[in-house]
Amino acid sequence: MLEENEIKKRLKRMMVRRLELKVSPEEIKDDEPLFGEGLGLDSVESLELVVGIEEEFGIVIEETKRHKGKFLLGRYIG
Amino acid sequence: MILGIKEIKELIPHRFPILLVDKMLEIEEGKGGVGVKCVTYNESFFQGHFPQEPIMPGVLIIECIAQVAAIVLSFSQTGNNDAGTLKKPKYLLTVEKVKFKKPVVPGDTMLIEVMILKRFGEFVRIKGEVKANNEIVALGELTIGGSKVEVQR
């Protein structure tokens, strides 16, 4: 089991690198929305994010698991 | 497993002058496949690309990879290659990590190998590797979406 803060740090670093975000990992708030007014990702980038999480953490995210509403990625991975 | 041009035309809607796969040597349902594109001097693009030195445009090599991927995806949707249902176009959404290592010239036979990396919802990430004369000429990763997909902001 990874420590939650460590997961969040790695997650943010991976997102900035992989999605070429114009913010630093430290600037991303834990509850920052991914789409719209938050990080402004588009729907294709959500696939990029899924692939990035799988590579970074060695897990498989099933497409059948639908996540509705708000949830925190860091907690999901942990 | 070999699909000829007739079977390919049943799986993807591409037609002249932009059907860029001649046959399929292998398809592993839901996983990947290998397609073949034979390049001849009669290809119309060689008239201008380039008059002094005919080389296959890189964007068309990417299109070859996308079409092999579309064939693999259509094939896995039906579970067999039944005639009749012409598959809807799939859209190319991203092109990444592409490298062209060697020029493709008239007389080359391109072996286009596609591997499905990840499916998520309507999106499919694939990896492609193109060989000619037993050497890698191009490689890259593409994202392909179903025809209902619109990139949402």
Side-chain angles (χ1 to χ4, degrees):
Chain A
M1 202 68 147
L2 291 164
E3 209 254 313
E4 193 172 319
N5 279 331
E6 177 63 21
I7 292 173
K8 286 179 188 165
K9 236 190 258 172
R10 278 171 63 183
L11 188 57
K12 289 174 187 175
R13 251 184 277 143
M14 179 278 291
M15 286 167 68
V16 169
R17 192 180 63 236
R18 221 180 153 103
L19 303 171
E20 293 168 16
L21 300 178
K22 286 179 185 70
V23 293
S24 67
E26 296 73 33
E27 285 173 84
I28 302 172
K29 294 193 296 264
D30 284 359
D31 60 351
E32 187 100 38
L34 295 173
F35 306 99
E37 285 158 34
L39 291 172
L41 301 189
D42 63 36
S43 55
V44 176
E45 284 166 319
S46 64
L47 175 73
E48 192 65 43
L49 188 60
V50 168
V51 174
I53 293 170
E54 290 190 341
E55 277 180 14
E56 177 75 27
F57 298 98
I59 58 172
V60 175
I61 299 178
E62 302 284 344
E63 66 170 310
T64 46
K65 282 188 193 164
R66 302 260 177 215
H67 302 284
K68 287 204 170 127
K70 252 182 152 176
F71 75 102
L72 297 173
L73 272 178
R75 211 156 286 164
Y76 170 78
I77 293 162
Chain B
M1 153 67 52
I2 294 182
L3 300 185
I5 193 66
K6 254 178 86 182
E7 289 83 23
I8 288 173
K9 285 168 78 177
E10 282 158 11
L11 292 171
I12 57 172
H14 308 68
R15 293 295 181 265
F16 174 84
I18 194 81
L19 175 44
L20 296 177
V21 185
D22 296 323
K23 69 176 172 186
M24 290 294 293
L25 295 181
E26 283 171 36
I27 296 189
E28 202 178 339
E29 202 178 311
K31 294 208 170 131
V34 181
V36 175
K37 160 72 184 158
C38 298
V39 182
T40 81
Y41 184 62
N42 273 335
E43 311 275 1
S44 59
F45 49 76
F46 283 137
Q47 284 181 57
H49 197 279
F50 300 99
Q52 303 304 325
E53 189 194 353
I55 61 170
M56 174 115 178
V59 284
L60 293 182
I61 299 176
I62 296 174
E63 178 63 23
C64 289
I65 298 172
Q67 290 187 14
V68 171
I71 293 165
V72 170
L73 292 171
S74 291
F75 189 79
S76 43
Q77 271 169 16
T78 56
N80 57 46
N81 53 333
D82 274 348
T85 45
L86 188 66
K87 297 297 166 190
K88 282 186 183 163
K90 292 173 179 60
Y91 297 148
L92 183 57
L93 298 171
T94 72
V95 174
E96 279 162 271
K97 299 181 195 165
V98 171
K99 274 188 194 165
F100 301 107
K101 293 183 164 275
K102 292 251 158 90
V104 173
V105 298
D108 281 348
T109 299
M110 295 198 292
L111 281 183
I112 304 140
E113 192 176 341
V114 160
M115 213 172 75
I116 295 177
L117 296 179
K118 179 76 189 167
R119 271 169 189 269
F120 198 75
E122 285 278 311
F123 302 127
V124 187
R125 171 64 62 90
I126 66 108
K127 188 178 178 172
E129 200 176 273
V130 183
K131 283 185 189 157
N133 309 308
N134 286 320
E135 281 184 295
I136 295 176
V137 293
L139 59 148
E141 289 185 22
L142 313 179
T143 308
I144 290 169
S147 38
K148 280 179 285 181
V149 170
E150 267 176 56
V151 178
Q152 285 169 356
R153 271 273 170 202

